[in-house]
Amino acid sequence: MGLVETETRGGAIWIWLNRPDRHNALVPALVCELRSAIADAAMAEPVALVLSGRGSSFSTGGDIGGFLDHAGLQGTLIAYSDELVGSLHETILDLLSFPAPVLAAVNGPVTGGSAGLMLAADMVAMSGTAFVQPYYNQVGFGPDGGWTALLPDRIGTSKALAIQYRNTRISASEAVELGLAVCQVPGAELVATVDGWVVDLGKGFAQTHRTTRQSVWDARRCAMVRDRLDQEKARFLDLVSRQSTLDGMKEFTRKRA
C-alpha cells in the first residue's frame, strides 16, 4: 500500500492520503506520491478531482518527527524542510492549475500546511469531527501551505491574522460560515455528498468548468500565489532551525506523547 491511494468513482478521481497511523502527516515521500497522482489524474481528464484522507484525520501537516529526525546534522534540517515545504507548495499550485473542478472531502482534522490542500479546492465538504487549526505559534514555525498566501484573500486579512495569532480552531460549522467549506455533514455521509457533487458536475459541460477555473486561476493570479508561497517557504526556513523552534518541536511532541 502506498502513502497515496487513487480511486475512480462516477467519473471523478479520488486521491486518498494514506498514512492513517500518523494522521496523514506530511513527509516528502507522501507529497511526492501526491504530486504524481495529481499529474496522472490531469491526463485522465476526469469530471473532478477529489482529495480526502484515510483514517480519522485529513492531514495534520508536516510530521514533526520528520523535522526532528533531521535536526542533528548541520544543514540537514534546512534541506529537509526546503524539500517538504517546497513540494507542498508545488502541490498547491498543481491543484490550482488542475483542468477540472477540485473538491475536498475533509474527513477529520486539518492542521498546519495541509490546510493548503483544502484552500486549493473549489468546493469542500467537512465531517462534523473536522476542524482547521494552524498550530504554528505552538511550535515556532513560520506559516506555510497558504496560511498567508491564500487564506487572507478567502476570509479577509484581519480574520486570517487573528486565527493565526490566537491559534484558533475553526470547526466545520465555522468553516462553512467563513466560506471555507460548502457544507458540514455527518462523517458517514461525506463520501456520498461529494459523489452527489460529481454527478451534478457531470451534467454540465466540462469545457465550461475548465474555462471557469482557468479564468479564476489565471496565469497572473497563480504567479502572485507562487510568489507568496515562496515568501512563506523562505520565512519557514529562517525559523525552522532556530533553537527556540527546536525546543518548541520537542515540547509539542512531548505533550502529545
Side-chain angles (χ1 to χ4, degrees):
M1 302 289 284
L3 297 173
V4 168
E5 293 182 340
T6 303
E7 176 186 7
T8 300
R9 298 173 56 91
I13 294 178
W14 284 66
I15 297 178
W16 302 84
L17 306 182
N18 187 39
R19 201 177 176 227
D21 57 318
R22 295 291 294 176
H23 296 279
N24 297 320
L26 303 178
V27 290
L30 186 153
V31 180
C32 180
E33 287 188 30
L34 178 57
R35 288 200 72 195
S36 179
I38 293 169
D40 289 344
M43 293 174 57
E45 300 183 353
V47 171
L49 177 71
V50 185
L51 300 177
S52 194
R54 299 292 192 195
S56 60
S57 299
F58 180 81
S59 177
T60 52
D63 192 326
I64 301 296
F67 290 108
L68 289 174
D69 286 345
H70 291 81
L73 298 175
Q74 183 88 23
T76 304
L77 178 58
I78 294 293
Y80 175 85
S81 303
D82 190 13
E83 179 183 9
L84 178 58
V85 176
S87 295
L88 171 62
H89 288 178
E90 291 298 329
T91 303
I92 292 168
L93 292 164
D94 291 343
L95 292 171
L96 296 181
S97 62
F98 195 80
V102 176
L103 315 177
V106 178
N107 55 301
V110 186
T111 62
S114 294
L117 304 177
M118 177 178 162
L119 292 171
D122 305 327
M123 298 169 62
V124 176
M126 298 179 71
S127 74
T129 62
F131 63 82
V132 186
Q133 193 166 1
Y135 278 111
Y136 294 104
N137 67 7
Q138 306 298 296
V139 181
F141 290 152
D144 66 335
W147 280 92
T148 64
L150 290 170
L151 186 64
D153 288 346
R154 294 287 299 276
I155 67 173
T157 300
S158 294
K159 288 180 181 177
L161 288 173
I163 287 167
Q164 293 177 74
Y165 290 156
R166 302 173 68 189
N167 192 36
T168 303
R169 176 170 294 190
I170 306 167
S171 68
S173 60
E174 290 166 336
V176 173
E177 292 176 7
L178 288 169
L180 296 175
V182 173
C183 63
Q184 172 193 338
V185 298
E189 299 175 15
L190 185 64
V191 170
T193 296
V194 177
D195 280 342
W197 291 353
V198 173
V199 171
D200 290 341
L201 288 167
K203 297 174 182 177
F205 281 102
Q207 65 194 31
T208 302
H209 298 325
R210 180 190 294 264
T211 297
T212 301
R213 279 208 105 224
Q214 289 174 337
S215 296
V216 171
W217 295 111
D218 60 13
R220 183 181 63 83
R221 191 177 183 194
C222 285
M224 180 178 67
V225 172
R226 177 180 287 279
D227 181 62
R228 290 177 175 178
L229 290 173
D230 286 347
Q231 292 181 50
E232 283 189 353
K233 186 179 77 167
R235 290 166 181 147
F236 189 101
L237 297 180
D238 179 57
L239 295 181
V240 70
S241 62
R242 295 188 183 188
Q243 187 60 52
S244 57
T245 306
L246 296 174
D247 293 342
M249 286 191 279
K250 292 174 183 176
E251 178 66 12
F252 188 83
T253 54
R254 185 191 67 79
K255 288 180 178 178
R256 283 154 178 77

